[in-house]
Amino acid sequence: MIQEFKKIWKQYAIGMLWLLGLLWPLLGIHPDGTLTFQKTFTVWLYILAGTLVCLFVYVANQGGQLRFITTPVDGVKKSISLFVKPFPRWVWFVVIFVLAVIYPQITGRYATDVAINVLLYICLGLGLNVVVGLAGMLDLGYIAFYGVGAYTYAVLNVTYGVGFWFCLPLAAVFATIAGCIVGYPTLRMRGDYLAIVTLGFGEIVRIVLNNWMELTNGPNGILGVKPVSILIPVFENGFSFEIFWVKKLQFFYYFALALAILVIIGVHRLNYSRIGRAWESIREDETAAELMGVNTFIYKLLAYAMGAFFAGLAGAFFAARMRFVSPESFTFLESAMVLCMVVLGGMGSIPGIMLGVVALIALPEVLRDFESYRMLIFGATMIIMMLFRPAGLIPAQRVGKRSEEKE
Amino acid sequence: MSAEPILELRNVHSGYGTIKALKGVSLKVYPGEVVAIIGANGAGKSTTLMTICGIIAAEKGEVLYDGKKINKVSPEKLPIKGLCQVPEGRRIFPRLSVEENLILGAFHRKDQEGINKDIEYMYSLFPILGERCKQHGGTLSGGEQQMLAIARALMTQPKVLLLDEPSLGLAPIIIQQIFDIIKDINEKNGTTILLVEQNANLALQAATRGYVLETGEITLEDKADALLHNPEIRKAYLGE
């Protein structure tokens, strides 16, 4: 154990000194110009103590000193997996579905709000997954399509009074068209260049939304977007329909849930289709895919359009929930956030992305108590995650599973 | 030998921007033949194949396949017509399984039964691929990857198979094995093969006819046997 510790203590010491150097300007320099060292040092000592304990546990585990703990834990794990195995997969789907349905009944308004956010981001993440995870094109301006979807509903609703259900497909269509417009000239590019162009496109959309006063009301945004409405049959005085506005968050949650389920099924079907296979071949080797008869241009454009389609759907729901849209919701940071969810969860893996979304939306909410440190902890968590699980929380296992299924 | 060539290049020029790699290449491949193009590094061998497939556009000249000009045909349409290339450096799909690589070879085909049958046929042709059918393509050894690349191309049911340096980076024993299979495919299926090789000895032994490519131009064309015994060729390419 001491031997192993010797190997890493130097790096550890350098790391901690570097952290001290970083912490001091953060905590030691005050706005009135005074410099202190006390607070930095105490915080640093806490971190030192914490990491030291982690390090000792890690080293001890590597050296096998913790066998008296790990062996029973492994045993428990094994018995759990043995217990779980007999249930087929659909049982879990049903369990998750039932939990999702009763969720707003057992939790409060705030938790439901967070859950709606999670559901919308699942749609976004899965849409981006089509572009990044399957077709392998880095898209840094993805949120623009979300914006196009949201603004389509907001503008049509506020200016022309068009209802939600009519606007929903329109929002998706407009987003898809926007996807094709960017896709057509840019998809000849590969890798880094494509990333930069999509980044530019995202910014163009935001700036247009910000400056086109007549249509989008500029930075003030569009107020008074109507919520989702449904027609309920009424049997008093004969038979007629009555418009029911879904203003209550609980009801809206179910609509978002339905959307998310549709998107999950859609992406799953795409993933295992001929189209999905073509996308994966393009991701792996574009020239080889072309030589094998895959029309790379059409399939890349299709990936882009499909990604935009899902984002457009989510965008319309976003506008209906917030009942207000402004360009501020569609900044680059949002694009980066969605990309993080996809990468953190595991590119190409649907359950992985769902978990990634939950982690990235729920974690900042849970950490709200820590106030100003929460983004720091958030960032650190992501770095650690990427160090220990570079392929994501639940890595995509498509290849293995497909082949095993045949047996 | 039938009179009409199945693949013909007429005075083809192409290159990468200002760099001219091919300066008027003309060659003919007749059905059922194995034709070898030999030449040193940078002679334009791979460029020739890439130009035939349309990955690099020909600046001048004509590429004819089955009597029709295919200069403007986009690359992904060629496998449907029966022209398929095994690219240099294999270029299999590393994170897809062996089986999926093969399925992708049959991308333009709709006959599920025929595809399954062909996959079984590939496994009989390359038994090692059958053993590894669930592995990722990237985890195979170099020779296995080359076999996979050839099998993947065969899945398109090609009439003409273009092979770009199948011996690249492989051990002599594996190279022999692969060339035996190439000959086999030609004899049993009647697939026409256009082979590009640096290993002149092997290529000419397998081929019926050969072309010598030097800095973008065809300098010699003859029966493979004749080339193999040509003293100049022996000096320049066979190290004698």
Side-chain angles (χ1 to χ4, degrees):
Chain A
M1 178 164 170
I2 290 156
Q3 275 295 324
E4 281 147 1
F5 194 67
K6 263 184 187 162
K7 281 182 211 155
I8 45 174
W9 78 269
K10 210 172 191 174
Q11 292 159 333
Y12 178 70
I14 291 170
M16 287 316 289
L17 282 176
W18 175 76
L19 182 71
L20 185 65
L22 265 184
L23 272 181
W24 181 69
L26 277 176
L27 300 172
I29 303 174
H30 299 286
D32 55 5
T34 51
L35 304 174
T36 55
F37 195 70
Q38 190 55 43
K39 196 180 173 194
T40 319
F41 198 67
T42 23
V43 170
W44 184 72
L45 270 183
Y46 278 124
I47 297 174
L48 184 76
T51 48
L52 213 57
V53 170
C54 290
L55 196 70
F56 269 119
V57 170
Y58 175 76
V59 169
N61 189 28
Q62 291 293 90
Q65 262 91 350
L66 292 182
R67 224 164 266 150
F68 65 95
I69 298 174
T70 52
T71 323
V73 167
D74 279 344
V76 170
K77 258 192 207 161
K78 222 176 214 170
S79 50
I80 286 176
S81 67
L82 271 178
F83 175 73
V84 161
K85 243 185 190 163
F87 298 107
R89 285 222 338 244
W90 63 266
V91 171
W92 296 110
F93 289 142
V94 169
V95 167
I96 291 170
F97 179 73
V98 168
L99 280 179
V101 167
I102 60 170
Y103 177 82
Q105 313 295 341
I106 52 173
T107 54
R109 199 189 139 77
Y110 170 65
T112 312
D113 195 50
V114 173
I116 290 172
N117 227 346
V118 166
L119 290 171
L120 290 183
Y121 271 98
I122 283 177
C123 299
L124 276 179
L126 288 178
L128 186 63
N129 173 48
V130 168
V131 184
V132 178
L134 293 181
M137 302 181 287
L138 187 55
D139 185 351
L140 294 179
Y142 184 69
I143 210 74
F145 305 125
Y146 187 49
V148 169
Y151 265 89
T152 305
Y153 175 53
V155 169
L156 285 179
N157 185 265
V158 171
T159 320
Y160 304 104
V162 188
F164 178 79
W165 297 108
F166 189 71
C167 285
L168 184 65
L170 274 184
V173 166
F174 276 125
T176 311
I177 291 170
C180 292
I181 290 172
V182 217
Y184 188 74
T186 56
L187 289 184
R188 283 157 229 272
M189 281 169 241
R190 292 181 187 188
D192 312 351
Y193 307 104
L194 181 72
I196 291 166
V197 172
T198 53
L199 177 67
F201 171 74
E203 282 303 285
I204 289 171
V205 167
R206 190 180 63 81
I207 289 165
V208 166
L209 293 178
N210 217 354
N211 290 292
W212 195 351
M213 287 303 287
E214 297 83 35
L215 188 72
T216 66
N217 200 20
N220 303 328
I222 299 175
L223 260 169
V225 182
K226 290 259 164 35
V228 178
S229 62
I230 42 173
L231 293 172
I232 297 176
V234 183
F235 295 101
E236 289 166 33
N237 309 326
F239 181 77
S240 65
F241 285 105
E242 192 176 88
I243 292 178
F244 173 73
W245 297 103
V246 185
K247 286 183 182 164
K248 218 173 167 190
L249 217 50
Q250 274 188 16
F251 290 120
F252 190 81
Y253 170 86
Y254 290 113
F255 283 104
L257 184 66
L259 175 76
I261 290 172
L262 276 180
V263 171
I264 289 166
I265 293 171
V267 171
H268 181 83
R269 300 277 302 167
L270 276 174
N271 197 351
Y272 287 85
S273 69
R274 194 177 124 88
I275 298 171
R277 206 179 295 128
W279 282 336
E280 285 196 299
S281 75
I282 290 168
R283 179 191 71 201
E284 295 296 304
D285 192 324
E286 214 176 312
T287 310
E290 217 168 351
L291 287 173
M292 287 304 118
V294 178
N295 189 337
T296 50
F297 185 75
I298 292 289
Y299 279 103
K300 277 161 78 178
L301 196 61
L302 187 67
Y304 228 76
M306 287 311 294
F309 179 86
F310 292 128
L313 286 180
F317 272 85
F318 174 77
R321 182 190 73 141
M322 300 306 266
R323 300 168 66 185
F324 166 71
V325 285
S326 86
E328 248 158 73
S329 313
F330 311 110
T331 54
F332 170 67
L333 199 69
E334 290 292 307
S335 283
M337 202 63 178
V338 179
L339 189 65
C340 282
M341 290 165 186
V342 174
V343 175
L344 188 76
M347 278 194 275
S349 137
I350 294 173
I353 290 164
M354 287 160 69
L355 198 62
V357 171
V358 172
L360 286 203
I361 299 282
L363 203 62
E365 300 295 336
V366 173
L367 293 176
R368 221 170 256 285
D369 296 339
F370 296 89
E371 286 296 333
S372 44
Y373 297 105
R374 99 188 147 111
M375 281 332 247
L376 195 72
I377 299 171
F378 181 61
T381 322
M382 283 192 43
I383 292 171
I384 291 166
M385 268 295 309
M386 283 294 107
L387 278 175
F388 287 100
R389 288 196 80 102
L393 287 166
I394 305 176
Q397 284 180 330
R398 167 171 187 224
V399 173
K401 232 180 241 148
R402 267 175 85 82
S403 311
E404 280 157 22
E405 274 165 6
K406 276 209 161 171
E407 280 180 340
Chain B
M1 200 132 297
S2 74
E4 283 299 306
I6 188 158
L7 183 71
E8 187 178 357
L9 270 67
R10 285 186 195 154
N11 191 28
V12 169
H13 290 249
S14 81
Y16 309 85
T18 51
I19 302 157
K20 301 280 168 267
L22 300 186
K23 304 161 191 161
V25 170
S26 298
L27 58 86
K28 285 176 186 175
V29 180
Y30 293 96
E33 271 191 318
V34 178
V35 174
I37 301 176
I38 57 172
N41 279 336
K45 304 184 302 288
S46 299
T47 313
T48 309
L49 293 195
M50 284 299 179
T51 309
I52 293 173
C53 283
I55 302 275
I56 302 166
E59 287 157 18
K60 233 165 75 182
E62 289 180 322
V63 182
L64 293 145
Y65 172 73
D66 228 355
K68 287 183 203 93
K69 203 172 154 184
I70 55 165
N71 288 32
K72 291 277 183 306
V73 177
S74 51
E76 73 273 0
K77 299 223 174 72
L78 293 174
I80 306 168
K81 292 174 184 284
L83 185 69
C84 193
Q85 186 187 154
V86 179
E88 185 177 8
R90 310 181 268 271
R91 304 191 86 145
I92 50 145
F93 305 119
R95 277 185 295 171
L96 299 185
S97 69
V98 168
E99 199 174 303
E100 280 185 310
N101 266 280
L102 293 179
I103 292 170
L104 264 158
F107 189 73
H108 65 88
R109 293 166 59 186
K110 300 279 194 294
D111 56 324
Q112 195 54 52
E113 243 173 66
I115 293 171
N116 290 341
K117 223 161 125 193
D118 269 11
I119 290 178
E120 286 312 311
Y121 173 61
M122 290 309 146
Y123 290 160
S124 68
L125 208 58
F126 306 97
I128 190 81
L129 294 185
E131 278 169 40
R132 312 251 151 130
C133 66
K134 277 151 198 132
Q135 275 188 26
H136 282 214
T139 61
L140 300 182
S141 74
E144 289 159 2
Q145 285 189 13
Q146 186 65 58
M147 291 177 197
L148 178 58
I150 293 173
R152 186 183 63 178
L154 287 176
M155 288 298 293
T156 66
Q157 294 184 317
K159 281 187 238 161
V160 178
L161 186 64
L162 311 175
L163 287 164
D164 198 344
E165 300 228 16
S167 73
L168 190 76
L170 301 183
I173 185 160
I174 309 276
I175 296 177
Q176 197 53 55
Q177 215 178 327
I178 283 179
F179 270 82
D180 287 344
I181 289 164
I182 292 171
K183 268 194 227 166
D184 229 42
I185 294 162
N186 174 253
E187 280 160 19
K188 282 191 192 146
N189 305 0
T191 311
T192 313
I193 288 167
L194 178 60
L195 179 70
V196 152
E197 256 301 340
Q198 279 201 53
N199 191 334
N201 200 8
L202 260 167
L204 291 174
Q205 274 172 18
T208 41
R209 280 188 317 122
Y211 289 89
V212 179
L213 196 64
E214 264 173 38
T215 57
E217 281 164 292
I218 300 276
T219 51
L220 214 60
E221 177 202 346
D222 211 337
K223 288 251 155 58
D225 282 344
L227 282 178
L228 209 51
H229 296 108
N230 185 324
E232 264 181 62
I233 299 294
R234 295 196 77 83
K235 210 167 153 189
Y237 296 106
L238 302 174
E240 282 179 21

